[in-house]
Amino acid sequence: MIFMHKNNNKGQMEMIGLVIIVILITLGMLFFTLLAVKESPEKKIFTRKGLAYSTMSAVMKTTVIPEENCVAGSAVSLELGKDILEDCALNAGSYRRDDPSNCGFGCQYHCRGLHSCAFFNQKIEELLQASLGRWNKRYSFTSQLLIPGSDRSLSLAEIKGRGGCSSSQDKDSSGLFPIQAGDAGLVENVLFLCD
Amino acid sequence: MKKDRMETPPLRKRGQLHITETIAVLFIFFVLVFFGLLFYSKYQKISLAEKQEELLGERAMETTLKTLFLPELGCSKGEAEQEDNCIDLMKLEAAQKTFSEHINDYYFGIFSYANITVQELYPDSARSWTLYDKLKTKTLEDGTVVKDWERKEPTYFVVTLRDESQGRVQYRFGYIVVEVYS
């Protein structure tokens, strides 16, 4: 009887020991998993935000060369984010995506024989594809004209690279790049960058 | 007497049982310790590689920022503040010579082992300037020079290239690529 009781006690002790070992191993694994999962994404975000901002400011500042034939017979250099965008905003009403060369009578510039909005879209797409696209970045560029005295806005450009950025993805923006387009109103440009 | 013998095993056998049990427990214990050490060393190895990669990325970023804010390259006008993300083409062409002349005595202290290239994309995508190129190499016993780096981390930044060579200000579109080695 005493022997059986002793054996029982020993079994219980062993069980407790085993449980403690299992708990310790589980805690250890949990600790390592937590350490492994913990990342420091600050640098990545900083790089992405910096790249989005620098790309946007460079695109807007870029000078369109006279070879694009924006003004017939004149060797004038125009700024993409100022002259072309302003002309696009002022003549946004006559812009048809299915007929990009149609400029009505209002367009001041006819780069590549296109409506300013069509040229703006084409040029931005080319520049972004040559830089961000080459580095396999996903991006989304939008340009919107805020119509003065109303809540409405008109989309002037919408360019997506590699499918653009979905709402579930981590993304960073260049920040709003507002440009006053004469009497047409304010044009808000933004570039989203995601990995 | 006979009954007693059946219930309690002889003392020698009990001792043997205890020894076997202890050996089994110790064996399991050491197996667990071994697996723990194995797991820990693997984890350490991976985290060390990750840390190295992170440090290299940080260095790439620092080098890019240093390059972007170099007064030898930045677009300035008199005493006005330097333009953001802009490289002056005239300065860039002059800096190429200065960089190559003072690569060891001055610029190596700033950029260490790196390669800095400026590439124009619009209007002329064929133009590029290698501003700084310092590869980490080692010389073997037979005199051949081989690369002495395992990893390289490129960082890209889009910039405008200000060109005033034609009498008027023109902004070209390009990027700067900074590669650092470890």
Side-chain angles (χ1 to χ4, degrees), chain A residues 42-185:
Chain A
E42 294 89 358
K43 189 183 73 75
K44 215 171 185 182
I45 289 168
F46 169 72
T47 319
R48 204 166 49 199
K49 202 165 178 60
L51 184 61
Y53 175 77
S54 72
T55 308
M56 191 64 169
S57 71
V59 159
M60 287 294 151
K61 234 194 257 179
T62 300
T63 310
V64 179
I65 52 166
E67 284 74 22
E68 304 279 10
N69 283 323
C70 293
V71 183
S74 171
V76 68
S77 294
L78 305 165
E79 214 170 288
L80 191 62
K82 195 179 154 200
D83 307 297
I84 304 291
L85 188 60
E86 191 177 323
D87 194 41
C88 165
L90 286 167
N91 299 288
S94 63
Y95 175 48
R96 303 273 172 275
R97 282 178 214 274
D98 53 344
D99 186 13
S101 56
N102 177 28
C103 211
F105 298 103
C107 282
Q108 199 181 344
Y109 309 117
H110 302 267
C111 313
R112 295 180 187 171
L114 299 170
H115 188 288
S116 288
C117 292
F119 176 74
F120 181 75
N121 272 271
Q122 219 175 70
K123 195 82 244 164
I124 299 266
E125 195 169 358
E126 279 173 22
L127 297 177
L128 294 182
Q129 187 52 40
S131 50
L132 302 178
R134 190 186 286 181
W135 308 324
N136 295 321
K137 303 271 182 202
R138 284 170 187 271
Y139 57 86
S140 157
F141 173 93
T142 53
S143 198
Q144 279 190 324
L145 171 68
L146 306 178
I147 298 163
S150 86
D151 295 337
R152 285 190 314 120
S153 64
L154 195 66
S155 170
L156 300 179
E158 197 172 352
I159 297 150
K160 285 178 179 176
R162 294 185 70 221
C165 300
S166 65
S167 54
S168 60
Q169 269 178 316
D170 251 7
K171 59 184 171 188
D172 272 300
S173 89
S174 60
L176 282 179
F177 266 65
I179 288 166
Q180 186 61 46
D183 298 332

Side-chain angles (χ1 to χ4, degrees), chain B residues 7 18 24 26 31 35 40 51 69 72-73 83 85 92 97 110 112 116-117 120 129 135 142 147 150 153-154 180:
Chain B
E7 273 179 2
H18 267 293
L26 278 174
V31 164
F35 276 113
Y40 185 69
K51 190 80 196 162
F69 289 100
E72 290 96 314
L73 300 173
E83 275 180 58
N85 309 308
L92 180 66
K97 193 169 166 263
I110 301 174
S112 183
I116 303 167
T117 310
E120 183 179 323
W129 299 263
L135 261 178
D142 60 350
K147 66 165 194 170
E150 288 165 16
E153 177 83 28
V180 290

Side-chain angles (χ1 to χ4, degrees), chain A residues 35-39, chain B residues 43-57 151:
Chain A
L35 272 182
V37 168
K38 204 179 149 195
E39 270 182 73
Chain B
Y43 171 77
Q44 280 292 90
K45 215 172 161 184
I46 292 166
S47 68
L48 196 75
E50 271 176 13
K51 190 80 196 162
Q52 269 181 336
E53 210 166 296
E54 202 184 304
L55 284 174
L56 194 66
R151 250 188 242 111

